[in-house]
Amino acid sequence: MSYSAFRIFKEAITGHKGWKPVWRKPEPQLNYDIIIVGGGGHGLATAHYLASKFDKKRIAVLEKGWIGGGNVGRNTTIIRSNYLLNDNEGFYEFSLKLWEGLEQDVNYNAMVSQRGVLNLYHSDPQRDAYVRRGNAMILNGADAKLLKADAVRSLYPFLNFDDARFPIMGGLLQPRGGTVRHDAVAWGYAHAADKRGVDIIENCEVTGFDIQNGCCVGVETSRGYIGASKIGVAVAGNSSRVMAMAGIRLPIESHVLQAFVSEGLKPLLDGVITYGAGHFYVSQSDKGGLVFGGDIDGYNTYAQRGNLPVVEDVCEGGMSLMPMIGKARILRMWGGNVDMSMDGSPIIDKTDIKGLYFNGGWCYGGFKATPASGYSFAHLLATDTPHDTAKAYRMDRFTRGLMIDEKGMGAQPNLH
Amino acid sequence: MIINHPTLGPRDSAEFTYLGDAALLRRPNPKSETALDDFYSYQYLRDNPAGEHRELWYHEQGDRSWLVVTRNTVTHDITKVEFARDVKQAMIEKAIIKRAKS
């Protein structure tokens, strides 16, 4: 089934009887060429690019729950490529370019909206750091614009510009950044992968790896044994648990990141704003709710809910940046489990076990990386060599001292 | 979360800062032949279990003690709170007895 304006018109005059499920519900086969463990955004994107760009056949995606029930449906929907380090910026810019063509590629409306991401600065040194970051972005082919306070004021007059402690002096704007309807990303990739014959098998939990002579040849699942010559694991949030079944310890801790939505308001915020003096970022959804979040809770957890001190911290950040937010009520809040890697950057690499590949460690920034992560992981699975933009995301970079310290911290700020 | 401090009683977790797995108390021997690998594992690799987890919390806004808290990472239930210095002391004594026996 494909989607088009003509199709909508046709269905409208025939009583909407022709719509079919977006993907099939196949029974698992006995073996596949490639199995992707984890039917989140990254796993589905990997399957899609394996089938469409690398011409691979006989692919299955195994998901323990349902498609779109993990972090791809729990994030704050922001896409951007405003990183400083070359190892990151090239990758995230590649991702942003894939976002720009995503809807045509997967034939699904993911509501990609390049409404601009604005990082505010509040001091001279912070401005200098943003100038440097903006230049690094431009050098890597991304777009960046430094705005002075007046320009920010004309965009968002309601911000707390004249705060005594943290006045808003300006901001670094990435006009091509924005938001995407996150669930539709999962559904879109599932739709496109399914159309190319990928089996998306839900309610199928991997319970063990079949490793013979240092070679992974299949997985035990809650729906029986499935063999495969290559197995890619993309289960960020639960990476340590899944890889432990293959006897691999990872440089990762699982933490919870909380997000919030306010009640629906009239349109007031047409872009994404991040506060430079506290951990707070906000955008407005098309339904009118303010979508915002802050920092991770900061302790190991697998519970998909957080604790109140971080709720207070995020709300204080919001009040400090845009005091009028205090009149809005919080409608919903939730948490998602994230892989906090020890340097704050992801891993896309082979493992010491032949045929077993790993993708994880996305920290609190996995959503924006979805297309590039899928593409790079597909590249690695198909060709056994890393994609050009993901060469630095090696598992062994910690032993070799080649950490990618974008923020100078990982799970904790004391590791470097 | 409420952490039941051994001397100060129940305290809000917001008073504490978190360091991570209490296995960090067991620093590898720098003179060992495998020191390089040992320190890599010590510094970067984690068990990261779902379920019971012994972990280090620092009472920064209180008496500045280090605690070993046994907490469930799925339910957030805290079942045991000890002073890290007591845990470390017990580890040292155990190691001395083991060495004396061998």
Side-chain angles (χ1 to χ4, degrees):
Chain A
M1 187 176 69
S2 68
Y3 299 96
S4 63
F6 172 73
R7 183 71 193 267
I8 293 171
F9 180 71
K10 188 181 151 205
E11 292 296 335
I13 54 172
T14 54
H16 291 289
K17 292 197 178 97
W19 298 116
K20 299 222 170 55
V22 179
W23 59 90
R24 297 165 293 134
K25 303 268 181 200
E27 283 299 312
Q29 294 172 27
L30 287 177
N31 72 75
Y32 290 92
D33 287 350
I34 301 175
I35 285 178
I36 309 296
V37 183
H42 292 225
L44 293 166
T46 305
H48 165 65
Y49 291 118
L50 273 171
S52 68
K53 296 284 190 286
F54 298 95
D55 214 20
K56 294 291 172 189
K57 304 270 183 292
R58 298 184 3 97
I59 304 164
V61 176
L62 310 184
E63 165 57 45
K64 79 169 172 184
W66 63 91
I67 296 306
N71 288 342
V72 73
R74 288 172 175 269
N75 56 75
T76 43
T77 78
I78 296 165
I79 58 167
R80 57 186 171 87
S81 66
N82 52 3
Y83 283 71
L84 172 70
L85 302 179
N86 284 335
D87 289 339
N88 278 331
E89 181 56 21
F91 176 81
Y92 287 103
E93 177 53 25
F94 175 51
S95 201
L96 195 52
K97 290 206 170 78
L98 288 172
W99 281 119
E100 286 171 333
L102 176 79
E103 291 159 314
Q104 286 69 36
D105 186 21
V106 300
N107 179 233
Y108 202 84
N109 180 12
M111 294 160 69
V112 176
S113 162
Q114 294 182 289
R115 52 182 71 183
V117 172
L118 178 65
N119 299 150
L120 299 172
Y121 61 80
H122 309 266
S123 65
D124 290 340
Q126 198 172 21
R127 181 200 55 215
D128 295 348
Y130 281 11
V131 168
R132 184 174 172 223
R133 175 147 37 124
N135 285 331
M137 290 162 65
I138 291 165
L139 283 172
N140 278 287
D143 57 324
K145 236 162 94 181
L146 196 75
L147 304 185
K148 297 228 167 93
D150 288 349
V152 177
R153 202 184 285 266
S154 69
L155 281 174
Y156 304 115
F158 50 79
L159 297 179
N160 189 10
F161 283 87
D162 304 316
D163 185 77
R165 180 68 184 86
F166 299 115
I168 294 170
M169 295 173 63
L172 181 67
L173 177 70
Q174 182 175 31
R176 285 165 60 244
T179 61
V180 181
R181 169 92 165 92
H182 53 190
D183 302 312
V185 174
W187 302 333
Y189 274 125
H191 165 67
D194 178 83
K195 218 171 145 189
R196 288 179 185 272
V198 172
D199 280 358
I200 296 167
I201 302 160
E202 294 171 275
N203 300 310
C204 179
E205 182 173 359
V206 170
T207 54
F209 293 98
D210 181 10
I211 298 165
Q212 294 172 9
N213 304 322
C215 194
C216 191
V217 294
V219 288
E220 294 288 350
T221 77
S222 55
R223 293 177 69 172
Y225 179 85
I226 307 173
S229 41
K230 288 183 177 178
I231 292 154
V233 176
V235 295
N238 283 293
S239 294
S240 298
R241 294 170 72 183
V242 172
M243 294 309 277
M245 292 191 281
I248 294 174
R249 280 179 94 210
L250 296 172
I252 284 172
E253 286 180 1
S254 294
H255 286 248
V256 64
L257 180 65
Q258 302 193 59
F260 310 82
V261 174
S262 78
E263 60 192 321
L265 305 171
K266 288 188 175 174
L268 65 104
L269 185 61
D270 59 2
V272 181
I273 304 177
T274 74
Y275 187 28
H279 212 133
F280 178 81
Y281 54 91
V282 60
S283 64
Q284 188 170 23
S285 79
D286 293 352
K287 283 189 284 185
L290 294 174
V291 184
F292 56 97
D295 209 351
I296 55 172
D297 271 33
Y299 47 80
N300 285 45
T301 178
Y302 285 92
Q304 286 176 317
R305 60 189 161 75
N307 268 288
L308 293 172
V310 169
V311 178
E312 192 178 7
D313 185 61
V314 169
C315 292
E316 281 170 357
M319 286 299 288
S320 167
L321 175 68
M322 41 189 291
M324 70 173 183
I325 202 174
K327 302 224 168 159
R329 284 166 295 190
I330 290 176
L331 185 68
R332 292 185 291 127
M333 51 196 267
W334 64 94
N337 290 347
V338 298
D339 273 7
M340 291 304 298
S341 68
M342 293 295 153
D343 62 355
S345 296
I347 296 166
I348 303 175
D349 203 358
K350 300 178 196 175
T351 66
D352 291 337
I353 297 164
K354 197 166 176 291
L356 185 63
Y357 300 74
F358 177 71
N359 173 332
W362 289 100
C363 298
Y364 26 67
F367 178 68
K368 74 178 93 69
T370 305
S373 164
Y375 199 106
S376 308
F377 201 34
H379 189 282
L380 181 70
L381 281 158
T383 66
D384 275 320
T385 53
H387 186 259
D388 267 350
T389 60
K391 274 185 179 147
Y393 297 154
R394 301 290 299 272
M395 188 96 82
D396 65 354
R397 65 177 184 262
F398 300 93
T399 46
R400 297 188 296 139
L402 298 176
M403 274 79 83
I404 310 167
D405 286 346
E406 184 73 34
K407 276 181 73 189
M409 64 181 282
Q412 257 99 46
N414 53 13
L415 287 161
H416 302 287
Chain B
M1 289 184 292
I2 302 290
I3 294 174
N4 201 0
H5 191 286
T7 50
L8 301 175
R11 309 299 307 175
D12 189 337
S13 66
E15 294 176 4
F16 296 78
T17 53
Y18 178 82
L19 185 66
D21 198 324
L24 292 170
L25 286 174
R26 203 178 293 275
R27 188 182 279 267
N29 176 8
K31 289 177 184 162
S32 145
E33 279 178 13
T34 56
L36 202 60
D37 283 344
D38 296 346
F39 271 96
Y40 159 65
S41 308
Y42 174 81
Q43 174 78 339
Y44 295 115
L45 300 185
R46 299 286 185 271
D47 286 339
N48 192 21
E52 197 167 88
H53 190 229
R54 293 182 81 220
E55 54 201 19
L56 290 162
W57 291 75
Y58 176 55
H59 199 194
E60 191 173 26
Q61 309 286 322
D63 70 343
R64 306 239 162 166
S65 58
W66 279 96
L67 303 178
V68 174
V69 176
T70 306
R71 189 177 58 94
N72 189 307
T73 57
V74 178
T75 62
H76 294 169
D77 283 342
I78 293 171
T79 47
K80 198 171 177 188
V81 183
E82 306 151 89
F83 280 119
R85 58 166 185 262
D86 295 345
V87 174
K88 183 77 186 180
Q89 189 61 34
M91 273 167 54
I92 292 167
E93 281 165 16
K94 212 167 145 191
I96 290 171
I97 293 166
K98 200 175 155 196
R99 204 173 304 158
K101 273 185 186 162
S102 65

